[in-house]
Amino acid sequence: MPEVFPWVRHLTSEELRAFTLELVEALSDAAEPDVDVTTQEVIAGWRATARIKADPARYAQVRKATGGDYGPVEVSA
């Protein structure tokens, strides 16, 4: 995997395994017209995770608890 996706070096071995399994599932389902998750979305999501983890300051910041009331959530149909 590191040869194809160099950014996986920032993932733990457990995260790398999860990414690999999710990618294989997405590739297997790629031929199915009714599947919503695309291979590109799987890769983009895990790459974003790796990019955050690559920057210790940003990673520490996103792991901090948030507080306060951010107001009501509107649900659109």
Side-chain angles (χ1 to χ4, degrees):
M1 289 296 267
E3 293 82 24
V4 179
F5 304 107
W7 44 263
V8 299
R9 70 183 182 277
H10 300 293
L11 301 176
T12 65
S13 58
E14 191 173 297
E15 291 167 332
L16 178 57
R17 178 173 161 64
F19 165 59
T20 303
L21 292 173
E22 197 172 335
L23 181 60
V24 169
E25 288 176 5
L27 290 169
S28 296
D29 292 341
E32 301 295 325
D34 60 340
V35 175
D36 291 336
V37 176
T38 67
T39 304
Q40 184 177 359
E41 290 171 333
V42 170
I43 294 168
W46 279 102
R47 183 176 182 211
T49 299
R51 290 178 87 182
I52 288 286
K53 294 184 83 175
D55 183 341
R58 282 179 62 194
Y59 187 56
Q61 183 181 7
V62 299
R63 292 184 48 92
K64 288 182 183 176
T66 59
D69 184 357
Y70 297 102
V73 176
E74 295 183 30
V75 179
S76 58

